[in-house]
Coordinates of all heavy atoms in Angstrom, one line a residue:
V358 N -7.2 -102.8 83.4 CA -8.6 -102.7 83.5 C -9.2 -103.6 84.6 O -8.8 -104.7 84.7 CB -9.2 -103.1 82.1 CG1 -10.8 -103.1 82.2 CG2 -8.8 -102.2 81.0
A359 N -10.1 -103.0 85.4 CA -10.8 -103.8 86.4 C -12.3 -103.7 86.1 O -12.8 -102.6 85.9 CB -10.5 -103.3 87.8
V360 N -12.9 -104.9 86.1 CA -14.4 -104.9 85.8 C -15.1 -105.3 87.1 O -14.7 -106.3 87.7 CB -14.7 -106.0 84.7 CG1 -16.2 -106.0 84.5 CG2 -13.9 -105.7 83.4
V361 N -15.9 -104.4 87.6 CA -16.6 -104.6 88.9 C -18.0 -105.0 88.7 O -18.8 -104.3 88.1 CB -16.6 -103.3 89.7 CG1 -17.0 -103.6 91.2 CG2 -15.2 -102.6 89.7
E362 N -18.4 -106.2 89.2 CA -19.8 -106.6 89.2 C -20.4 -106.1 90.5 O -20.1 -106.6 91.6 CB -20.0 -108.1 89.2 CG -19.5 -108.8 87.9 CD -20.2 -108.3 86.7 OE1 -21.3 -107.8 86.7 OE2 -19.5 -108.4 85.6
G363 N -21.1 -105.0 90.4 CA -21.6 -104.3 91.7 C -22.7 -105.1 92.4 O -23.2 -106.0 91.8
G364 N -23.0 -104.7 93.6 CA -24.2 -105.2 94.3 C -23.9 -106.3 95.2 O -24.7 -106.6 96.0
S365 N -22.6 -106.8 95.2 CA -22.4 -107.9 96.2 C -22.1 -107.3 97.6 O -21.4 -106.3 97.7 CB -21.2 -108.8 95.7 OG -20.2 -107.9 95.2
K366 N -22.7 -107.9 98.6 CA -22.5 -107.3 100.0 C -21.1 -107.7 100.5 O -20.8 -108.9 100.4 CB -23.6 -107.9 100.9 CG -23.6 -107.4 102.3 CD -24.0 -105.9 102.3 CE -23.6 -105.3 103.7 NZ -23.3 -103.9 103.7
L367 N -20.3 -106.8 100.9 CA -19.0 -107.1 101.4 C -19.1 -107.7 102.9 O -20.0 -107.3 103.6 CB -18.1 -105.9 101.4 CG -17.9 -105.2 100.0 CD1 -16.9 -104.1 100.2 CD2 -17.4 -106.2 99.0
I368 N -18.2 -108.6 103.2 CA -18.2 -109.2 104.5 C -16.8 -109.0 105.1 O -15.8 -109.2 104.4 CB -18.5 -110.7 104.4 CG1 -19.8 -110.8 103.5 CG2 -18.6 -111.4 105.7 CD1 -20.6 -112.0 103.7
G369 N -16.8 -108.7 106.4 CA -15.5 -108.4 107.1 C -14.6 -109.6 106.9 O -15.0 -110.8 106.9
A370 N -13.3 -109.4 106.8 CA -12.3 -110.4 106.7 C -10.9 -109.8 107.1 O -10.7 -108.6 107.1 CB -12.2 -110.9 105.2
P371 N -9.9 -110.7 107.4 CA -8.5 -110.1 107.5 C -8.0 -109.8 106.2 O -8.0 -110.7 105.3 CB -7.8 -111.3 108.2 CG -8.7 -112.5 108.2 CD -10.0 -112.1 107.6
V372 N -7.5 -108.6 106.0 CA -6.9 -108.2 104.7 C -5.6 -107.4 104.9 O -5.3 -107.0 106.0 CB -7.9 -107.3 103.9 CG1 -9.0 -108.2 103.3 CG2 -8.4 -106.2 104.7
C373 N -4.9 -107.2 103.8 CA -3.5 -106.7 103.9 C -3.4 -105.5 102.9 O -3.6 -105.7 101.7 CB -2.6 -107.8 103.6 SG -1.0 -107.6 104.1
A374 N -3.0 -104.4 103.4 CA -2.7 -103.2 102.5 C -1.5 -103.5 101.7 O -0.5 -104.0 102.2 CB -2.5 -102.0 103.3
T375 N -1.6 -103.3 100.4 CA -0.4 -103.5 99.5 C 0.2 -102.2 99.1 O 1.3 -102.2 98.6 CB -0.9 -104.3 98.2 OG1 -2.0 -103.6 97.7 CG2 -1.3 -105.7 98.6
D376 N -0.4 -101.1 99.3 CA 0.2 -99.8 99.2 C -0.7 -98.8 99.9 O -1.7 -99.1 100.4 CB 0.4 -99.4 97.7 CG -0.8 -99.3 96.9 OD1 -1.6 -98.3 97.1 OD2 -1.1 -100.1 96.0
L377 N -0.3 -97.5 99.8 CA -1.0 -96.5 100.6 C -2.5 -96.3 100.2 O -3.4 -96.4 101.1 CB -0.3 -95.1 100.3 CG -0.9 -93.8 100.7 CD1 -1.3 -93.8 102.2 CD2 0.0 -92.7 100.4
R378 N -2.8 -96.1 98.9 CA -4.2 -95.9 98.6 C -5.0 -97.2 98.6 O -6.2 -97.2 98.8 CB -4.3 -95.2 97.2 CG -3.4 -93.9 97.1 CD -3.7 -92.9 98.1 NE -2.7 -91.8 98.1 CZ -2.7 -90.8 98.9 NH1 -3.5 -90.7 100.0 NH2 -1.7 -89.9 98.8
A379 N -4.3 -98.3 98.3 CA -5.0 -99.6 98.5 C -5.4 -99.8 99.9 O -6.5 -100.3 100.2 CB -4.0 -100.8 98.1
G380 N -4.6 -99.3 100.8 CA -4.9 -99.4 102.3 C -6.2 -98.6 102.5 O -7.1 -99.0 103.2
A381 N -6.3 -97.4 101.9 CA -7.5 -96.6 102.1 C -8.7 -97.3 101.5 O -9.8 -97.2 102.0 CB -7.3 -95.2 101.4
A382 N -8.5 -98.0 100.4 CA -9.7 -98.7 99.8 C -10.1 -99.8 100.7 O -11.4 -100.0 100.8 CB -9.2 -99.3 98.4
L383 N -9.2 -100.4 101.4 CA -9.6 -101.5 102.3 C -10.4 -100.9 103.5 O -11.3 -101.5 104.0 CB -8.4 -102.3 102.8 CG -7.7 -103.1 101.7 CD1 -6.5 -103.8 102.2 CD2 -8.7 -104.1 101.0
V384 N -10.0 -99.7 103.9 CA -10.7 -99.1 105.0 C -12.1 -98.8 104.6 O -13.1 -99.0 105.3 CB -10.0 -97.8 105.4 CG1 -10.8 -96.9 106.4 CG2 -8.6 -98.1 106.1
I385 N -12.3 -98.3 103.4 CA -13.6 -98.0 102.9 C -14.5 -99.3 102.7 O -15.6 -99.3 103.2 CB -13.5 -97.2 101.5 CG1 -13.0 -95.8 101.7 CG2 -14.9 -97.2 100.8 CD1 -12.6 -95.1 100.5
A386 N -13.8 -100.3 102.2 CA -14.5 -101.6 102.1 C -15.0 -102.1 103.5 O -16.1 -102.6 103.7 CB -13.7 -102.6 101.4
A387 N -14.1 -101.9 104.4 CA -14.4 -102.4 105.8 C -15.5 -101.6 106.4 O -16.4 -102.2 107.1 CB -13.1 -102.2 106.7
L388 N -15.6 -100.3 106.1 CA -16.7 -99.5 106.6 C -18.0 -99.9 106.0 O -19.1 -99.8 106.6 CB -16.4 -98.0 106.3 CG -15.3 -97.4 107.0 CD1 -14.9 -96.0 106.4 CD2 -15.5 -97.2 108.5
M389 N -18.0 -100.4 104.8 CA -19.2 -100.9 104.1 C -19.6 -102.3 104.5 O -20.8 -102.7 104.3 CB -18.9 -100.9 102.5 CG -18.6 -99.6 101.9 SD -17.7 -99.9 100.3 CE -19.0 -100.5 99.3
A390 N -18.7 -103.1 105.0 CA -18.9 -104.5 105.1 C -19.7 -104.9 106.3 O -19.8 -104.1 107.3 CB -17.5 -105.2 105.2
D391 N -20.4 -106.0 106.3 CA -21.0 -106.6 107.5 C -19.9 -107.2 108.3 O -19.0 -107.9 107.8 CB -21.9 -107.8 107.0 CG -23.2 -107.3 106.6 OD1 -23.6 -106.1 106.8 OD2 -24.0 -108.1 105.9
G392 N -19.9 -107.0 109.6 CA -19.0 -107.6 110.5 C -17.6 -106.9 110.6 O -17.5 -105.8 110.2
V393 N -16.6 -107.7 111.1 CA -15.4 -107.0 111.5 C -14.3 -107.3 110.4 O -14.1 -108.5 110.0 CB -14.9 -107.6 112.9 CG1 -13.5 -107.1 113.2 CG2 -15.9 -107.2 114.0
T394 N -13.6 -106.3 110.1 CA -12.4 -106.4 109.1 C -11.2 -106.1 109.9 O -11.2 -105.1 110.7 CB -12.6 -105.5 107.9 OG1 -13.8 -105.8 107.2 CG2 -11.4 -105.5 107.0
E395 N -10.1 -106.8 109.7 CA -8.8 -106.5 110.3 C -7.9 -106.1 109.1 O -7.7 -106.9 108.2 CB -8.2 -107.7 111.0 CG -9.0 -108.1 112.2 CD -8.4 -109.3 112.9 OE1 -7.6 -110.0 112.3 OE2 -8.8 -109.5 114.1
I396 N -7.3 -104.9 109.2 CA -6.4 -104.5 108.1 C -5.0 -104.5 108.6 O -4.6 -103.9 109.6 CB -6.8 -103.1 107.6 CG1 -8.2 -103.1 107.1 CG2 -5.8 -102.7 106.4 CD1 -8.7 -101.7 106.7
Y397 N -4.1 -105.3 107.9 CA -2.7 -105.4 108.3 C -1.8 -104.6 107.3 O -2.3 -104.1 106.3 CB -2.3 -106.9 108.2 CG -2.9 -107.7 109.2 CD1 -4.2 -108.2 109.0 CD2 -2.3 -108.0 110.4 CE1 -4.9 -109.0 110.0 CE2 -2.9 -108.8 111.4 CZ -4.2 -109.3 111.2 OH -4.8 -110.0 112.1
N398 N -0.6 -104.4 107.7 CA 0.4 -103.6 106.9 C 0.1 -102.1 107.0 O 0.1 -101.5 106.0 CB 0.4 -104.1 105.5 CG 1.7 -104.7 105.0 OD1 2.6 -104.7 105.8 ND2 1.7 -105.2 103.8
L399 N -0.1 -101.6 108.2 CA -0.5 -100.2 108.3 C 0.6 -99.3 108.0 O 0.3 -98.1 107.8 CB -1.0 -100.0 109.7 CG -2.3 -100.8 110.2 CD1 -2.8 -100.3 111.5 CD2 -3.4 -100.7 109.1
K400 N 1.8 -99.8 107.8 CA 2.9 -98.8 107.5 C 2.6 -98.1 106.2 O 3.0 -96.9 106.0 CB 4.2 -99.6 107.3 CG 4.3 -100.5 106.1 CD 5.6 -101.2 105.9 CE 5.5 -102.1 104.7 NZ 6.5 -103.1 104.6
Y401 N 1.9 -98.7 105.3 CA 1.5 -98.0 104.0 C 0.5 -96.8 104.3 O 0.7 -95.7 103.8 CB 0.9 -99.0 103.0 CG 1.9 -99.9 102.4 CD1 1.8 -101.3 102.6 CD2 3.0 -99.4 101.7 CE1 2.7 -102.1 102.0 CE2 3.9 -100.2 101.2 CZ 3.8 -101.6 101.3 OH 4.7 -102.4 100.8
I402 N -0.5 -97.2 105.1 CA -1.5 -96.1 105.4 C -0.9 -95.0 106.1 O -1.2 -93.8 105.9 CB -2.7 -96.8 106.1 CG1 -3.4 -97.9 105.3 CG2 -3.7 -95.7 106.5 CD1 -4.5 -98.6 105.9
D403 N 0.0 -95.3 107.0 CA 0.7 -94.2 107.8 C 1.5 -93.3 107.0 O 1.9 -92.2 107.5 CB 1.5 -94.9 109.0 CG 0.6 -95.6 110.0 OD1 -0.6 -95.2 110.1 OD2 1.1 -96.5 110.7
R404 N 1.9 -93.7 105.8 CA 2.7 -92.9 105.0 C 1.9 -91.6 104.5 O 2.6 -90.6 104.2 CB 3.1 -93.6 103.7 CG 4.0 -94.8 103.9 CD 4.4 -95.4 102.7 NE 5.0 -94.4 101.8 CZ 5.6 -94.7 100.7 NH1 5.7 -95.9 100.3 NH2 6.2 -93.7 100.0
G405 N 0.6 -91.7 104.5 CA -0.1 -90.6 103.8 C -1.4 -90.1 104.5 O -2.0 -89.2 104.0
Y406 N -1.9 -90.8 105.5 CA -3.1 -90.4 106.2 C -2.9 -90.0 107.6 O -2.4 -90.8 108.4 CB -4.2 -91.5 106.1 CG -4.7 -91.6 104.7 CD1 -4.2 -92.6 103.8 CD2 -5.7 -90.8 104.2 CE1 -4.6 -92.7 102.5 CE2 -6.2 -91.0 102.9 CZ -5.7 -91.9 102.1 OH -6.1 -92.0 100.8
E407 N -3.1 -88.7 107.9 CA -2.9 -88.2 109.2 C -4.1 -88.5 110.1 O -5.2 -88.2 109.7 CB -2.7 -86.7 109.2 CG -2.4 -86.1 110.5 CD -2.1 -84.6 110.4 OE1 -3.0 -83.8 109.8 OE2 -1.0 -84.1 110.8

Side-chain angles (χ1 to χ4, degrees):
V358 173
V360 180
V361 190
E362 297 299 336
S365 39
K366 184 70 195 148
L367 301 183
I368 309 205
V372 286
C373 201
T375 51
D376 66 70
L377 165 58
R378 309 303 172 186
L383 294 178
V384 170
I385 291 169
L388 293 167
M389 298 158 74
D391 279 345
V393 174
T394 298
E395 295 180 341
I396 303 173
Y397 292 81
N398 241 357
L399 298 188
K400 67 178 181 198
Y401 287 120
I402 298 180
D403 291 337
R404 294 181 58 171
Y406 287 94
E407 182 178 55

